[in-house]
Each structure stands twice: as C-alpha cells, then as structure tokens.
Amino acid sequence: MSKRTNGDDFMTATCLDRPNPEVLRKEAEAFLTKFPRIEHLDALFLDINGILRGKRYPRTEIPHLFEKGMLMPYSAMIVDVTGNTSDAGGVGFSDGDPDGVMYAVPGTLVPVPWAHEPTAQCIVSFDGTNGGKEFLEARNILRRVEARLNADGLYTVCAMELEFYLIDPQRTPDGRPQAPISPATGEREISTQVYGMEELEDYSAVLSDIEKTCHAQGIPAYTASAEYAAGQFEVNLKHSSPAVSAADHAALLCRVVRNVALEHGFRATFMAKPFLDQAGNGLHMHVSVCDKDGINLFANGDDPHANMILRHAIGGMQAGLFESMAVFAPCINAYRRYQSNIYVPMGKTWGVNNRSLAFRIPLSEGSARRIEHRVAGADANPYLALAAVLASLHYGIVHEIDPGEATSGNGGVEPDVDFPRTIEDSLTAFSEGAILRDYFGEWYCDIYQLTKIAEVTSFRDYISKREYDWYL
C-alpha cells in the first residue's frame, strides 16, 4: 500500500465538496413540516478555541439558508478566546475581512429542547469553493487529515469522553468558582466518591435531562459517571465514523451540558483546571483503525503488544505528542492540570489497561480494540485535538515507528524531561515540529501560533492582586 507523505500537495488535490443545495433545501422543508412550531434556527460552527459561534435565523429564512448558505467572515474562525481578531497571518483587518459561504452539514438539523421558544440548530461549514480559506475552519482541518488516512485505505472509528464541573453560578467575592449546592441536601458539596452512585442520584435530574437532550439531538451519549471532585462528572459518547462525526458529537455535547445545567440552576465548565486542589477536566479520545471492509486492524492477533499497526500508531502518537500540546492544552490554565499521580499523563507512556499512561489500550474484545489518548484537556478544540491524534497515528503507521517497551506500574509520577509545562513552551514545540505542519498545513499552523501568542500576550497585560500583594 503506497502512502502519501506530502501534505501541501494533498491539500491542493483535496476538495471539500459542496452539499447538493436541492437536497439541503428539501431536508429543511421536511424538518419544518415535522416541527411546525419551530420559530428560529441557530447555525453553528466551532472557532479555533472550541467556542461555538454562528447566527440565528427566523423560520422563514431557514430554507434559504440551507439552499444558498450563510455568509461569515473567515476571521471568525480564528478569533481569540475573548472574540477579538488579532489579524493573525493577515486574516482580518489586513485583507479587508472578506466573507466566505458556509453551508449546512447534512443530517445536523435538530430541535433544541432547552430553548424557551421552539428553536432548531444545525452545523454549518465552509466547502471547497473558498479558495483554500476553508482550511481556516478547525472542522475542515480534521476532514483534511481524515481524508489523508482514507486515501491510504485507513478508516477511523472514534469516540470522545468529556469531563466537566457543575458549579454554583455565583462566584466567591474574589471571583473564584464555587462547588455546587447539592439538590438533595441543600448543602454545598465538599467532596465526592469517584464512580459514586449517590452523587449520580443527587444530580439525577440534570444528568437525565442531558441524556434526554442528547437523544433528541442524535448525540450518542450513553454513560455518565461521578469523577474525582465535588460536582465533577464525565459523559461518554459512543464510537462514530467518520472521525468528524465524533468531533461534531463532542462539540454539541458541550452545548447541551452547558444549557441543560443552566436550566437546573448550575453552570457547567469544561475549563481544564477550575480548582487548584481538585482534579482537572480531561478529554479522552478513543481511536481504532479499520480497512475498507470495516475490519479493525488493531484486532489482528490476541496480544495487542504484538500488533504492528497498533504499535506503529502509538509510535506516531509518541512522535507527535510534544508538538501537539499547544492543541491539547491551548491556554495558560490548561497546564495547571498536569500534575503527578492524578491520572494525567506527562510523557510518551503506553500500555494495556493502565490509566496512568498517555496511550492506553483498554480491556476489550479484539474487535473493539482501540487506543485511548488521555493527554488532552476538556478545553481543547475537539476537531483540532482529534486531528492531531489522527495525524500522528497516520505518521507512525506510514513510517513504521516503534513505540518501545510498554510501561508497567504507575506512569504518572514524573513528567518527561521534554514535556512542555507552559503554553509558551508548547507553542515553541508546535512551531518547531514537522508532523502537524505537514498534516494541518503550514499556513494554518502559522495562524494558530500567531493567534495563541496574541492571546497569551493580551492575558499577561494585566496586574493581578497577588502581584500587588507581593511587590507593591
């Protein structure tokens, strides 16, 4: 099997086809017939930071949106976390801030159960008629990476697990978040029991509504568990193919969790480390690779240590880990999550049935064998995070990179000496790396780095209370 290795040539040869406008219009009309009370539609996309943005349309304009598309400036894809453009790579002020056309993604038109008036939503995305600027959209970076695997006869099946906190909407007087007040006891939470059923029961109303809302929107959520801190939970998503569907599900799950939590008097946060003395929020990505007939290539043989495609995939993930940290941990707060002995990996460790490792092979039947990538925080953009995993995986398979001996015992005691511990270190590794620049494209990587540098610079342009307390 021949392998393509030149990302820029592949980018030029790849076209993101526009959905058939007649088919889209009929989908919208059928939906409006089924839901005659719908008054508005939210057209959604995820920006570079993983924040949902978009436009709201009245009912009368929904068929037109689906047939003709939605105008959106390309710069909206790469604003910073506050919503401001930094003109990264000359996209924004310098180029006159031109619009592109985003089209509805077929099959994503669903009702919004939590809305106070009948509302629908859909995902929109740039197609391949935007002169290459469609690759400013994170979703299309994942599609580009996935297409590169598909061209080599490799097809991924992916799932994501997201951790989050339910917190009190009211902050402390100094602006810090607070643990929630239990619906069962009326008292503020101070501790939790990991996998505790009492915690699930106490918050059953909000968790049940999250599950029901996911079902109504076609998001394949199937389990919830109490995690390692007061008010912390995890929701798991079923495996999906193609990979972009798994990332769609993760993006929309975050929207569901946040809005359902508000309906129950809580705020939900996917911030990587909202409490210094409590566990952080992680994004765990499960990936397996199949051939064109749907046969799991990781399932060949009883011993996963001896499966060469699986080993090479892990070797690639190891090779791409440090340069991908700017994607897996995209802001200053994200690096507070990386601490010893709390199941947050800080190195290139791998093995079977061991949660302390970066690349874990969970216990499963052979046909379900997969790699769980456990490094990213829940604040990562799910499209970019999964794209980084798949790019590294493919790189390892193409170059037949061996991961070395599996790690036994506790792999989360000490960080690897080269593990980036700050966003600045990660951006340096990102700029010096070769894998993501090949798979994401030089242009996108340059813009990503410039956007994050501008964000960090803006963040540091502030004198904190501690700075006055210590140095005034």
Side-chain angles (χ1 to χ4, degrees), residues 422-463:
T422 67
I423 183 63
E424 291 90 348
D425 289 345
S426 288
L427 288 170
T428 298
F430 181 82
S431 68
E432 294 175 352
I435 297 174
L436 296 191
R437 299 190 78 81
D438 177 28
Y439 283 79
F440 286 18
E442 293 274 355
W443 185 48
Y444 187 81
C445 287
D446 287 344
I447 286 176
Y448 185 89
Q449 183 177 11
L450 289 169
T451 301
K452 289 299 174 182
I453 289 174
E455 181 181 314
V456 171
T457 301
S458 178
F459 182 90
R460 296 200 184 283
D461 187 20
Y462 170 78
I463 300 178

mmCIF file of all heavy atoms in Angstrom, residues 422-463:
data_model
loop_
_atom_site.group_PDB
_atom_site.id
_atom_site.type_symbol
_atom_site.label_atom_id
_atom_site.label_comp_id
_atom_site.label_asym_id
_atom_site.label_seq_id
_atom_site.Cartn_x
_atom_site.Cartn_y
_atom_site.Cartn_z
ATOM 1 N N THR A 422 4.351 24.819 29.923
ATOM 2 C CA THR A 422 3.662 26.099 29.771
ATOM 3 C C THR A 422 3.177 26.221 28.336
ATOM 4 O O THR A 422 3.657 25.532 27.428
ATOM 5 C CB THR A 422 4.590 27.292 30.072
ATOM 6 O OG1 THR A 422 5.610 27.363 29.048
ATOM 7 C CG2 THR A 422 5.244 27.156 31.444
ATOM 8 N N ILE A 423 2.227 27.122 28.109
ATOM 9 C CA ILE A 423 1.734 27.343 26.757
ATOM 10 C C ILE A 423 2.851 27.894 25.867
ATOM 11 O O ILE A 423 2.933 27.561 24.677
ATOM 12 C CB ILE A 423 0.511 28.295 26.755
ATOM 13 C CG1 ILE A 423 -0.052 28.469 25.346
ATOM 14 C CG2 ILE A 423 0.844 29.627 27.383
ATOM 15 C CD1 ILE A 423 -0.602 27.223 24.705
ATOM 16 N N GLU A 424 3.748 28.692 26.438
ATOM 17 C CA GLU A 424 4.862 29.216 25.636
ATOM 18 C C GLU A 424 5.773 28.089 25.159
ATOM 19 O O GLU A 424 6.187 28.066 23.986
ATOM 20 C CB GLU A 424 5.660 30.246 26.446
ATOM 21 C CG GLU A 424 4.925 31.548 26.719
ATOM 22 C CD GLU A 424 4.117 31.516 28.012
ATOM 23 O OE1 GLU A 424 3.936 30.411 28.588
ATOM 24 O OE2 GLU A 424 3.674 32.590 28.452
ATOM 25 N N ASP A 425 6.089 27.151 26.055
ATOM 26 C CA ASP A 425 6.922 26.011 25.656
ATOM 27 C C ASP A 425 6.219 25.174 24.593
ATOM 28 O O ASP A 425 6.849 24.678 23.648
ATOM 29 C CB ASP A 425 7.239 25.138 26.871
ATOM 30 C CG ASP A 425 8.222 25.802 27.826
ATOM 31 O OD1 ASP A 425 8.870 26.784 27.430
ATOM 32 O OD2 ASP A 425 8.319 25.323 28.980
ATOM 33 N N SER A 426 4.914 25.013 24.740
ATOM 34 C CA SER A 426 4.170 24.220 23.762
ATOM 35 C C SER A 426 4.129 24.891 22.399
ATOM 36 O O SER A 426 4.229 24.227 21.360
ATOM 37 C CB SER A 426 2.738 23.974 24.265
ATOM 38 O OG SER A 426 2.727 23.053 25.325
ATOM 39 N N LEU A 427 3.981 26.199 22.380
ATOM 40 C CA LEU A 427 3.959 26.906 21.098
ATOM 41 C C LEU A 427 5.315 26.836 20.411
ATOM 42 O O LEU A 427 5.398 26.780 19.174
ATOM 43 C CB LEU A 427 3.528 28.354 21.304
ATOM 44 C CG LEU A 427 2.043 28.542 21.646
ATOM 45 C CD1 LEU A 427 1.755 29.970 22.073
ATOM 46 C CD2 LEU A 427 1.164 28.154 20.448
ATOM 47 N N THR A 428 6.389 26.813 21.199
ATOM 48 C CA THR A 428 7.712 26.615 20.608
ATOM 49 C C THR A 428 7.824 25.230 19.985
ATOM 50 O O THR A 428 8.296 25.080 18.847
ATOM 51 C CB THR A 428 8.813 26.800 21.674
ATOM 52 O OG1 THR A 428 8.761 28.144 22.163
ATOM 53 C CG2 THR A 428 10.180 26.529 21.090
ATOM 54 N N ALA A 429 7.390 24.197 20.730
ATOM 55 C CA ALA A 429 7.418 22.832 20.186
ATOM 56 C C ALA A 429 6.518 22.718 18.965
ATOM 57 O O ALA A 429 6.851 22.028 17.990
ATOM 58 C CB ALA A 429 6.984 21.836 21.267
ATOM 59 N N PHE A 430 5.390 23.399 18.988
ATOM 60 C CA PHE A 430 4.460 23.397 17.863
ATOM 61 C C PHE A 430 5.109 23.991 16.622
ATOM 62 O O PHE A 430 5.010 23.442 15.517
ATOM 63 C CB PHE A 430 3.210 24.191 18.257
ATOM 64 C CG PHE A 430 2.137 24.276 17.213
ATOM 65 C CD1 PHE A 430 1.237 23.238 17.034
ATOM 66 C CD2 PHE A 430 2.003 25.408 16.426
ATOM 67 C CE1 PHE A 430 0.229 23.328 16.085
ATOM 68 C CE2 PHE A 430 1.007 25.505 15.474
ATOM 69 C CZ PHE A 430 0.115 24.461 15.299
ATOM 70 N N SER A 431 5.818 25.113 16.797
ATOM 71 C CA SER A 431 6.433 25.786 15.647
ATOM 72 C C SER A 431 7.617 25.008 15.099
ATOM 73 O O SER A 431 7.912 25.060 13.901
ATOM 74 C CB SER A 431 6.886 27.193 16.046
ATOM 75 O OG SER A 431 7.962 27.143 16.972
ATOM 76 N N GLU A 432 8.311 24.257 15.979
ATOM 77 C CA GLU A 432 9.491 23.503 15.550
ATOM 78 C C GLU A 432 9.147 22.097 15.056
ATOM 79 O O GLU A 432 9.999 21.439 14.454
ATOM 80 C CB GLU A 432 10.481 23.414 16.717
ATOM 81 C CG GLU A 432 11.066 24.766 17.107
ATOM 82 C CD GLU A 432 11.957 24.685 18.342
ATOM 83 O OE1 GLU A 432 11.985 23.595 18.973
ATOM 84 O OE2 GLU A 432 12.610 25.684 18.678
ATOM 85 N N GLY A 433 7.928 21.638 15.299
ATOM 86 C CA GLY A 433 7.533 20.295 14.884
ATOM 87 C C GLY A 433 7.294 20.208 13.393
ATOM 88 O O GLY A 433 7.072 21.217 12.706
ATOM 89 N N ALA A 434 7.295 18.998 12.886
ATOM 90 C CA ALA A 434 7.109 18.779 11.449
ATOM 91 C C ALA A 434 5.812 18.055 11.125
ATOM 92 O O ALA A 434 5.285 18.194 10.021
ATOM 93 C CB ALA A 434 8.293 17.968 10.895
ATOM 94 N N ILE A 435 5.280 17.291 12.070
ATOM 95 C CA ILE A 435 4.129 16.433 11.758
ATOM 96 C C ILE A 435 2.876 17.263 11.527
ATOM 97 O O ILE A 435 2.234 17.160 10.472
ATOM 98 C CB ILE A 435 3.910 15.401 12.879
ATOM 99 C CG1 ILE A 435 5.118 14.478 12.988
ATOM 100 C CG2 ILE A 435 2.647 14.577 12.601
ATOM 101 C CD1 ILE A 435 5.054 13.510 14.154
ATOM 102 N N LEU A 436 2.510 18.095 12.483
ATOM 103 C CA LEU A 436 1.287 18.875 12.316
ATOM 104 C C LEU A 436 1.411 19.895 11.196
ATOM 105 O O LEU A 436 0.426 20.185 10.504
ATOM 106 C CB LEU A 436 0.915 19.574 13.628
ATOM 107 C CG LEU A 436 0.551 18.663 14.804
ATOM 108 C CD1 LEU A 436 -0.053 19.477 15.937
ATOM 109 C CD2 LEU A 436 -0.374 17.538 14.397
ATOM 110 N N ARG A 437 2.593 20.429 10.981
ATOM 111 C CA ARG A 437 2.759 21.386 9.888
ATOM 112 C C ARG A 437 2.526 20.714 8.543
ATOM 113 O O ARG A 437 2.062 21.339 7.590
ATOM 114 C CB ARG A 437 4.144 22.041 9.954
ATOM 115 C CG ARG A 437 4.385 22.814 11.230
ATOM 116 C CD ARG A 437 5.647 23.654 11.173
ATOM 117 N NE ARG A 437 5.435 24.876 10.403
ATOM 118 C CZ ARG A 437 4.867 25.975 10.892
ATOM 119 N NH1 ARG A 437 4.437 26.000 12.145
ATOM 120 N NH2 ARG A 437 4.724 27.036 10.137
ATOM 121 N N ASP A 438 2.849 19.425 8.463
ATOM 122 C CA ASP A 438 2.599 18.657 7.248
ATOM 123 C C ASP A 438 1.113 18.366 7.087
ATOM 124 O O ASP A 438 0.531 18.600 6.023
ATOM 125 C CB ASP A 438 3.404 17.354 7.298
ATOM 126 C CG ASP A 438 3.157 16.459 6.101
ATOM 127 O OD1 ASP A 438 2.835 16.982 5.015
ATOM 128 O OD2 ASP A 438 3.278 15.235 6.247
ATOM 129 N N TYR A 439 0.479 17.898 8.139
ATOM 130 C CA TYR A 439 -0.904 17.446 8.032
ATOM 131 C C TYR A 439 -1.915 18.589 8.117
ATOM 132 O O TYR A 439 -2.935 18.565 7.423
ATOM 133 C CB TYR A 439 -1.204 16.413 9.135
ATOM 134 C CG TYR A 439 -0.635 15.046 8.842
ATOM 135 C CD1 TYR A 439 0.710 14.776 9.054
ATOM 136 C CD2 TYR A 439 -1.442 14.026 8.354
ATOM 137 C CE1 TYR A 439 1.238 13.523 8.793
ATOM 138 C CE2 TYR A 439 -0.928 12.759 8.086
ATOM 139 C CZ TYR A 439 0.419 12.522 8.312
ATOM 140 O OH TYR A 439 0.945 11.274 8.038
ATOM 141 N N PHE A 440 -1.661 19.584 8.975
ATOM 142 C CA PHE A 440 -2.580 20.717 9.087
ATOM 143 C C PHE A 440 -2.337 21.750 7.991
ATOM 144 O O PHE A 440 -3.251 22.482 7.622
ATOM 145 C CB PHE A 440 -2.410 21.423 10.436
ATOM 146 C CG PHE A 440 -2.974 20.697 11.628
ATOM 147 C CD1 PHE A 440 -3.273 19.340 11.590
ATOM 148 C CD2 PHE A 440 -3.198 21.372 12.805
ATOM 149 C CE1 PHE A 440 -3.768 18.679 12.701
ATOM 150 C CE2 PHE A 440 -3.694 20.735 13.924
ATOM 151 C CZ PHE A 440 -3.983 19.379 13.873
ATOM 152 N N GLY A 441 -1.105 21.823 7.504
ATOM 153 C CA GLY A 441 -0.718 22.847 6.555
ATOM 154 C C GLY A 441 0.071 23.954 7.230
ATOM 155 O O GLY A 441 -0.248 24.368 8.353
ATOM 156 N N GLU A 442 1.121 24.413 6.576
ATOM 157 C CA GLU A 442 1.976 25.462 7.125
ATOM 158 C C GLU A 442 1.176 26.717 7.468
ATOM 159 O O GLU A 442 1.369 27.323 8.531
ATOM 160 C CB GLU A 442 3.081 25.818 6.112
ATOM 161 C CG GLU A 442 4.092 24.713 5.857
ATOM 162 C CD GLU A 442 5.220 24.733 6.871
ATOM 163 O OE1 GLU A 442 5.251 25.663 7.702
ATOM 164 O OE2 GLU A 442 6.063 23.810 6.837
ATOM 165 N N TRP A 443 0.280 27.096 6.570
ATOM 166 C CA TRP A 443 -0.472 28.344 6.746
ATOM 167 C C TRP A 443 -1.309 28.285 8.010
ATOM 168 O O TRP A 443 -1.289 29.209 8.824
ATOM 169 C CB TRP A 443 -1.352 28.580 5.519
ATOM 170 C CG TRP A 443 -2.103 29.879 5.505
ATOM 171 C CD1 TRP A 443 -1.595 31.118 5.759
ATOM 172 C CD2 TRP A 443 -3.482 30.045 5.223
ATOM 173 N NE1 TRP A 443 -2.584 32.065 5.631
ATOM 174 C CE2 TRP A 443 -3.749 31.433 5.302
ATOM 175 C CE3 TRP A 443 -4.523 29.185 4.878
ATOM 176 C CZ2 TRP A 443 -5.027 31.964 5.072
ATOM 177 C CZ3 TRP A 443 -5.786 29.706 4.645
ATOM 178 C CH2 TRP A 443 -6.033 31.080 4.744
ATOM 179 N N TYR A 444 -2.046 27.193 8.194
ATOM 180 C CA TYR A 444 -2.900 27.100 9.374
ATOM 181 C C TYR A 444 -2.062 27.083 10.649
ATOM 182 O O TYR A 444 -2.412 27.734 11.634
ATOM 183 C CB TYR A 444 -3.788 25.857 9.315
ATOM 184 C CG TYR A 444 -4.801 25.833 10.449
ATOM 185 C CD1 TYR A 444 -5.981 26.570 10.352
ATOM 186 C CD2 TYR A 444 -4.561 25.114 11.622
ATOM 187 C CE1 TYR A 444 -6.905 26.584 11.385
ATOM 188 C CE2 TYR A 444 -5.469 25.132 12.659
ATOM 189 C CZ TYR A 444 -6.649 25.862 12.540
ATOM 190 O OH TYR A 444 -7.543 25.879 13.578
ATOM 191 N N CYS A 445 -0.973 26.348 10.645
ATOM 192 C CA CYS A 445 -0.132 26.287 11.837
ATOM 193 C C CYS A 445 0.446 27.650 12.184
ATOM 194 O O CYS A 445 0.516 28.026 13.367
ATOM 195 C CB CYS A 445 0.985 25.258 11.644
ATOM 196 S SG CYS A 445 0.413 23.539 11.702
ATOM 197 N N ASP A 446 0.862 28.401 11.182
ATOM 198 C CA ASP A 446 1.369 29.753 11.441
ATOM 199 C C ASP A 446 0.276 30.618 12.071
ATOM 200 O O ASP A 446 0.528 31.356 13.035
ATOM 201 C CB ASP A 446 1.858 30.401 10.149
ATOM 202 C CG ASP A 446 3.166 29.814 9.651
ATOM 203 O OD1 ASP A 446 3.854 29.121 10.438
ATOM 204 O OD2 ASP A 446 3.497 30.019 8.468
ATOM 205 N N ILE A 447 -0.930 30.534 11.535
ATOM 206 C CA ILE A 447 -2.032 31.345 12.047
ATOM 207 C C ILE A 447 -2.419 30.904 13.451
ATOM 208 O O ILE A 447 -2.686 31.734 14.330
ATOM 209 C CB ILE A 447 -3.232 31.277 11.081
ATOM 210 C CG1 ILE A 447 -2.918 32.123 9.833
ATOM 211 C CG2 ILE A 447 -4.521 31.739 11.750
ATOM 212 C CD1 ILE A 447 -3.968 32.068 8.761
ATOM 213 N N TYR A 448 -2.441 29.602 13.683
ATOM 214 C CA TYR A 448 -2.763 29.099 15.022
ATOM 215 C C TYR A 448 -1.767 29.651 16.040
ATOM 216 O O TYR A 448 -2.149 30.151 17.103
ATOM 217 C CB TYR A 448 -2.740 27.571 15.041
ATOM 218 C CG TYR A 448 -3.175 26.970 16.366
ATOM 219 C CD1 TYR A 448 -4.504 26.679 16.611
ATOM 220 C CD2 TYR A 448 -2.246 26.717 17.377
ATOM 221 C CE1 TYR A 448 -4.907 26.151 17.833
ATOM 222 C CE2 TYR A 448 -2.636 26.197 18.601
ATOM 223 C CZ TYR A 448 -3.969 25.908 18.821
ATOM 224 O OH TYR A 448 -4.357 25.391 20.035
ATOM 225 N N GLN A 449 -0.489 29.570 15.710
ATOM 226 C CA GLN A 449 0.536 30.042 16.634
ATOM 227 C C GLN A 449 0.416 31.540 16.878
ATOM 228 O O GLN A 449 0.486 32.008 18.029
ATOM 229 C CB GLN A 449 1.924 29.700 16.104
ATOM 230 C CG GLN A 449 3.037 30.109 17.061
ATOM 231 C CD GLN A 449 4.409 29.699 16.566
ATOM 232 O OE1 GLN A 449 4.558 29.296 15.422
ATOM 233 N NE2 GLN A 449 5.404 29.786 17.428
ATOM 234 N N LEU A 450 0.233 32.323 15.825
ATOM 235 C CA LEU A 450 0.113 33.770 15.979
ATOM 236 C C LEU A 450 -1.106 34.141 16.814
ATOM 237 O O LEU A 450 -1.056 35.069 17.637
ATOM 238 C CB LEU A 450 0.040 34.430 14.603
ATOM 239 C CG LEU A 450 1.331 34.421 13.783
ATOM 240 C CD1 LEU A 450 1.049 34.854 12.351
ATOM 241 C CD2 LEU A 450 2.387 35.321 14.428
ATOM 242 N N THR A 451 -2.215 33.428 16.607
ATOM 243 C CA THR A 451 -3.431 33.695 17.378
ATOM 244 C C THR A 451 -3.204 33.429 18.853
ATOM 245 O O THR A 451 -3.601 34.224 19.721
ATOM 246 C CB THR A 451 -4.589 32.836 16.854
ATOM 247 O OG1 THR A 451 -4.829 33.128 15.472
ATOM 248 C CG2 THR A 451 -5.868 33.100 17.646
ATOM 249 N N LYS A 452 -2.549 32.315 19.176
ATOM 250 C CA LYS A 452 -2.312 31.961 20.569
ATOM 251 C C LYS A 452 -1.277 32.882 21.221
ATOM 252 O O LYS A 452 -1.404 33.235 22.394
ATOM 253 C CB LYS A 452 -1.880 30.501 20.672
ATOM 254 C CG LYS A 452 -2.997 29.516 20.387
ATOM 255 C CD LYS A 452 -4.134 29.689 21.375
ATOM 256 C CE LYS A 452 -5.322 28.832 21.059
ATOM 257 N NZ LYS A 452 -6.453 29.052 22.010
ATOM 258 N N ILE A 453 -0.270 33.280 20.475
ATOM 259 C CA ILE A 453 0.715 34.225 21.019
ATOM 260 C C ILE A 453 0.046 35.550 21.362
ATOM 261 O O ILE A 453 0.296 36.129 22.437
ATOM 262 C CB ILE A 453 1.870 34.434 20.026
ATOM 263 C CG1 ILE A 453 2.749 33.182 19.958
ATOM 264 C CG2 ILE A 453 2.710 35.649 20.423
ATOM 265 C CD1 ILE A 453 3.820 33.245 18.901
ATOM 266 N N ALA A 454 -0.823 36.020 20.484
ATOM 267 C CA ALA A 454 -1.530 37.273 20.743
ATOM 268 C C ALA A 454 -2.432 37.143 21.970
ATOM 269 O O ALA A 454 -2.538 38.072 22.786
ATOM 270 C CB ALA A 454 -2.348 37.677 19.521
ATOM 271 N N GLU A 455 -3.058 35.980 22.120
ATOM 272 C CA GLU A 455 -3.935 35.753 23.271
ATOM 273 C C GLU A 455 -3.140 35.750 24.571
ATOM 274 O O GLU A 455 -3.537 36.371 25.567
ATOM 275 C CB GLU A 455 -4.681 34.434 23.107
ATOM 276 C CG GLU A 455 -5.637 34.108 24.240
ATOM 277 C CD GLU A 455 -6.331 32.785 24.033
ATOM 278 O OE1 GLU A 455 -6.819 32.526 22.911
ATOM 279 O OE2 GLU A 455 -6.386 31.988 24.993
ATOM 280 N N VAL A 456 -2.010 35.048 24.569
ATOM 281 C CA VAL A 456 -1.177 34.989 25.775
ATOM 282 C C VAL A 456 -0.628 36.375 26.112
ATOM 283 O O VAL A 456 -0.600 36.786 27.285
ATOM 284 C CB VAL A 456 -0.032 33.976 25.584
ATOM 285 C CG1 VAL A 456 0.960 34.060 26.737
ATOM 286 C CG2 VAL A 456 -0.589 32.565 25.475
ATOM 287 N N THR A 457 -0.211 37.119 25.107
ATOM 288 C CA THR A 457 0.300 38.472 25.330
ATOM 289 C C THR A 457 -0.765 39.352 25.954
ATOM 290 O O THR A 457 -0.508 40.110 26.905
ATOM 291 C CB THR A 457 0.780 39.077 24.008
ATOM 292 O OG1 THR A 457 1.812 38.254 23.450
ATOM 293 C CG2 THR A 457 1.319 40.485 24.219
ATOM 294 N N SER A 458 -1.997 39.256 25.442
ATOM 295 C CA SER A 458 -3.101 40.042 25.981
ATOM 296 C C SER A 458 -3.423 39.621 27.411
ATOM 297 O O SER A 458 -3.695 40.462 28.278
ATOM 298 C CB SER A 458 -4.333 39.887 25.090
ATOM 299 O OG SER A 458 -5.425 40.603 25.610
ATOM 300 N N PHE A 459 -3.375 38.311 27.678
ATOM 301 C CA PHE A 459 -3.662 37.804 29.011
ATOM 302 C C PHE A 459 -2.671 38.353 30.029
ATOM 303 O O PHE A 459 -3.043 38.715 31.146
ATOM 304 C CB PHE A 459 -3.613 36.268 29.018
ATOM 305 C CG PHE A 459 -3.941 35.643 30.348
ATOM 306 C CD1 PHE A 459 -5.247 35.305 30.664
ATOM 307 C CD2 PHE A 459 -2.948 35.396 31.284
ATOM 308 C CE1 PHE A 459 -5.563 34.735 31.889
ATOM 309 C CE2 PHE A 459 -3.246 34.819 32.511
ATOM 310 C CZ PHE A 459 -4.565 34.496 32.818
ATOM 311 N N ARG A 460 -1.412 38.420 29.656
ATOM 312 C CA ARG A 460 -0.377 38.863 30.587
ATOM 313 C C ARG A 460 -0.331 40.382 30.737
ATOM 314 O O ARG A 460 0.371 40.894 31.610
ATOM 315 C CB ARG A 460 0.982 38.330 30.140
ATOM 316 C CG ARG A 460 1.071 36.802 30.184
ATOM 317 C CD ARG A 460 2.510 36.332 30.213
ATOM 318 N NE ARG A 460 2.628 34.885 30.171
ATOM 319 C CZ ARG A 460 2.421 34.075 31.204
ATOM 320 N NH1 ARG A 460 2.047 34.578 32.365
ATOM 321 N NH2 ARG A 460 2.565 32.767 31.078
ATOM 322 N N ASP A 461 -1.068 41.100 29.934
ATOM 323 C CA ASP A 461 -1.094 42.560 30.020
ATOM 324 C C ASP A 461 -2.075 42.994 31.104
ATOM 325 O O ASP A 461 -3.055 43.714 30.863
ATOM 326 C CB ASP A 461 -1.481 43.155 28.670
ATOM 327 C CG ASP A 461 -1.369 44.670 28.644
ATOM 328 O OD1 ASP A 461 -0.652 45.220 29.500
ATOM 329 O OD2 ASP A 461 -2.012 45.287 27.780
ATOM 330 N N TYR A 462 -1.805 42.507 32.332
ATOM 331 C CA TYR A 462 -2.732 42.715 33.444
ATOM 332 C C TYR A 462 -1.964 42.520 34.738
ATOM 333 O O TYR A 462 -1.139 41.601 34.852
ATOM 334 C CB TYR A 462 -3.886 41.704 33.348
ATOM 335 C CG TYR A 462 -4.793 41.653 34.552
ATOM 336 C CD1 TYR A 462 -5.763 42.631 34.746
ATOM 337 C CD2 TYR A 462 -4.676 40.634 35.488
ATOM 338 C CE1 TYR A 462 -6.598 42.589 35.856
ATOM 339 C CE2 TYR A 462 -5.507 40.585 36.591
ATOM 340 C CZ TYR A 462 -6.473 41.566 36.773
ATOM 341 O OH TYR A 462 -7.291 41.525 37.858
ATOM 342 N N ILE A 463 -2.224 43.369 35.721
ATOM 343 C CA ILE A 463 -1.578 43.233 37.029
ATOM 344 C C ILE A 463 -2.565 42.577 37.985
ATOM 345 O O ILE A 463 -3.623 43.138 38.285
ATOM 346 C CB ILE A 463 -1.126 44.598 37.575
ATOM 347 C CG1 ILE A 463 -0.130 45.248 36.603
ATOM 348 C CG2 ILE A 463 -0.493 44.443 38.953
ATOM 349 C CD1 ILE A 463 0.324 46.621 37.032
#
